[in-house]
Amino acid sequence: MQKIAYVNGSFVPGEQAMVPVTDRGFLFGDGIYEVTSVIDGRMVDNELHLARLQRSLGEIRIAMPAPLERIREIQHELIRVNDLSEGMVYIQVTRGAAERDFVFPAADVAPSLVMFTQQKNLVGAPSGVKGLKVMTFPDLRWTRRDIKSVNLLAQVIAKQAAAEAGCNEAWMLDGEMVTEGGSSTAYILTANDTIVTRPRSTMTLSGCTCAALQTLIVERGLKLEERPFSLAEAKAAKEAFATSATTLVAAVVEIDGEAIGDGKPGPVATELRRLYVERARAS
Ligand code: PDD
C-alpha cells in the first residue's frame, strides 16, 4: 500500500511528500520534531508530546503551524489512511522556506508542517524484550538539549558508533556523568533499590515516556531519585534501563561490554515495561 504523508496542508503519497531545498530545516536544522508511538492503532502519551512540541517551538520562536486540535486530527487521519497498528507518528515543524539567511525570515514566511507515519515493531522488538546493549560516547551536543531540535548530528554520530560496535543505543557522557541515550532517557536502579534518572533541566531532553513512567513508578511504591549519575555508578548498578516513545521501557543489559547485573533484563525494568505497555493498551 502506498503510504500517505501530510505536507503543508495536503495529504500526499509518500514519494510526493516534499519541501523546497530552501526549507530552513534542511539548510539550518532550524526546526522541531516529535515522535509519538502508536500501539493497537492508538497514540500513547500524545498530549505530552504535543505539549512538548508547543514548548520547543516557543523556545525558538517558531509559531504553531496549525492549532493543536488540527495537528491531532491529522495524526489520527494518517494513522487511519495508513492503517497503522504499531509504529510511530512523526511531526516536524520548521521555520519555513526562505532565501538563505541566518536571521529569521520575514513574518509572512509560514512555518512548514510535515507529518508521516512509520510502521515499527515496538512491544515485541527484540532489543526491548532481550535488553539493550549500550556503548558510551561523548555528548557532543549544544547546551539547550531540552529543545527537541532536528539538529541530531551528535546523536547520529553516537548511535552510528554504537551500531558499528554491535550495540543498540549510545549513552552520552558529559565527563564521567551520563546525560542520556542518543534517543532515550537513561535510568539506573541502585543497590538500595532506588531508581535514579536526571531531573528536568537544559542538559537533557525531558522525556514524555519518562514523565508517564514516573507516575507508574510512584504508584508502584518504588523509590525514585532525580539526580545525575556517573558511568561507574551505572556499571555497578543492580539494573539499568532506558525509555523513549519507540523503545517504550527497555532494560540495559550491557554497557561498554560489561554486563549489568547478571546480564539479563532485571525484574524492575521488566515489570515497568509490562506496566507501561499495559497502560498504553488500556488508554
Ligand atoms: N527520541 N532523549 C533524547 C535525546 C531523545 O531523542 C528522546 C526521544 C528521548 C525520550 O523522549 P520521549 O520519551 O519523549 O520519546 C530522550 C525520539 C524517540 C526520536 O528521536 O526518535
Side-chain angles (χ1 to χ4, degrees), residues 20-21 29 108 111 117 120 130 137 162 164 177 198 203 210 218 222 224 239 241 251 257 260-261 263:
V21 293
D108 62 350
T117 59
K120 202 169 157 52
K130 288 198 245 147
F137 201 84
E164 284 173 9
M177 307 306 280
R198 276 186 176 257
M203 291 294 286
C210 177
V218 171
L222 299 168
L224 175 70
E239 294 186 32
F241 57 100
I260 305 304

Side-chain angles (χ1 to χ4, degrees), residues 33 35 49 52 141 148 155 172 180-185 205-210 243-246:
Y33 77 106
V35 174
H49 289 283
R52 189 173 61 188
R141 293 174 298 167
K148 200 162 171 64
Q155 289 97 311
M172 298 184 288
E180 60 188 321
S183 60
S184 57
T185 306
L205 181 78
S206 278
C208 298
T209 318
C210 177
T243 64
S244 82
T246 47

